[in-house]
Amino acid sequence: MCRWLAYAGEPIKPSLLVLDAKHSLVAQSLNSPLGNEPVNGDGFGFGWYPQGSTAGNIPALFHSVEPAWHDTNLRELTQAIESPLFFSHVRAAAGPPIQLTNCHPYRYENWLFMHNGFLSGFAAYKRELVFAVDPSLYPHIQGTTDSEVLFHLALTLGLRDDPIAGLGAAIRMIEKVGQAHGTHFPMQGTMAVSDGATVWAFRYSTEGRSRSLFHSADIPTLRSMYPDLAYLNEFGKTSHMVVSEPLNDLPGAFLEVPESTVAVLDPEGYHHAPFLAAA
């Protein structure tokens, strides 16, 4: 459906990952070997927090309905700024129209959210899910995607207090409602959410056959493995990233996130935890 990446660590120019890596996100928008759709040209989004960002900082957003490889503004922007935490997403539309409000990442206050996947059979139970969104949050749903409804449902169910529990409660509701409407495997996807300081990256599907998700190895480990690779000098010791698929072909550079798992990125590194046993 889509491809995405999330970065947290020392401030860098996002172009290092979005544009310059061998299998950068822009390269994946043209050719995604691990994706269900090899071309992701139905718009893109880029969201970033300011330097010195802490929990509570408000991120900036740039969305376009242009293919990522065709948009010169994306190149200008990602080469000009430096950010300690950013999300980027390229879209392959699978039903909802190509429009700015349907491009990820989505923002609510200091929170960013993006999703690769779908809610199977969504049209049959969309009304029930939307009615479950807190009335104060409903006006913030601007597009028509299942992903945006998922985000606001998670906000309703406690994401701001506990992202893991809040998103888990939203998915369990989606599974219950979807299955009541005859959809056996309602939830599919990988998701990322951030508050400005921490990134939570989730891999989960009702069927237990989720979209691909990887995180990078620690930079000190990579430098010891590849001491002659000058590219690694662009990154600090706490640089971490989570991606739909690896950004290069270096053995050991990217590690697969297991099924039904949340990977937490914070200044201490990576922490894995189980996330919703497959239903």
Side-chain angles (χ1 to χ4, degrees):
M1 302 288 290
C2 308
R3 301 280 89 182
W4 60 255
L5 69 81
Y7 170 86
E10 289 86 355
I12 64 168
K13 290 185 176 181
S15 58
L16 288 170
L17 307 179
V18 176
L19 297 172
D20 299 340
K22 181 176 181 181
H23 301 302
S24 70
L25 193 65
V26 169
Q28 291 177 30
S29 71
L30 277 164
N31 180 22
S32 172
L34 299 184
N36 286 55
E37 297 81 16
V39 178
N40 298 269
D42 298 326
F44 66 87
F46 176 60
W48 72 100
Y49 291 89
Q51 291 205 47
S53 182
T54 59
N57 281 124
I58 305 299
L61 287 179
F62 173 54
H63 290 147
S64 174
V65 295
E66 297 281 349
W69 66 81
H70 184 64
D71 195 292
T72 57
N73 291 318
L74 178 64
R75 181 173 300 276
E76 292 286 334
L77 180 62
T78 58
Q79 290 176 339
I81 68 170
E82 291 191 348
S83 171
L85 199 164
F86 57 85
F87 284 8
S88 194
H89 183 283
V90 292
R91 184 170 181 246
I98 300 170
Q99 60 191 49
L100 285 178
T101 54
N102 285 344
C103 293
H104 308 222
Y106 299 107
R107 177 181 64 191
Y108 177 75
E109 296 180 343
N110 62 302
W111 294 90
L112 282 180
F113 174 86
M114 58 186 175
H115 173 215
N116 170 28
F118 57 90
L119 306 186
S120 183
F122 177 63
Y125 53 89
K126 175 181 178 180
R127 182 176 182 275
E128 190 167 343
L129 295 184
V130 171
F131 272 33
V133 171
D134 187 283
S136 68
L137 293 170
Y138 177 78
H140 297 277
I141 301 176
Q142 298 180 346
T144 61
T145 66
D146 50 0
S147 301
E148 193 176 15
V149 173
L150 167 60
F151 178 37
H152 286 81
L153 189 60
L155 288 168
T156 298
L157 297 176
L159 180 145
R160 285 167 285 181
D161 296 322
D162 186 334
I164 298 174
L167 190 59
I171 290 172
R172 285 304 192 214
M173 177 180 286
I174 288 165
E175 290 177 325
K176 180 179 179 180
V177 172
Q179 288 169 352
H181 283 265
T183 299
H184 295 299
F185 304 117
M187 180 65 203
Q188 168 60 253
T190 62
M191 298 145 285
V193 63
S194 180
D195 62 355
T198 301
V199 175
W200 293 266
F202 303 82
R203 187 181 186 203
Y204 177 81
S205 62
T206 311
E207 191 177 8
R209 300 177 61 186
S210 303
R211 296 287 194 260
S212 60
L213 190 66
F214 299 81
H215 68 69
S216 59
D218 290 329
I219 293 297
T221 300
L222 288 174
R223 286 177 178 156
S224 67
M225 294 169 61
Y226 301 101
D228 298 326
L229 192 60
Y231 176 75
L232 295 175
N233 294 329
E234 302 282 354
F235 301 94
K237 292 182 180 179
T238 64
S239 291
H240 303 98
M241 62 205 76
V242 183
V243 295
S244 293
E245 56 188 86
L247 301 182
N248 57 50
D249 299 322
L250 297 175
F254 286 90
L255 310 173
E256 187 171 10
V257 176
E259 286 277 356
S260 301
T261 297
V262 54
V264 184
L265 286 65
D266 60 27
E268 302 302 317
Y270 295 106
H271 315 278
H272 285 183
F275 179 69
L276 301 181

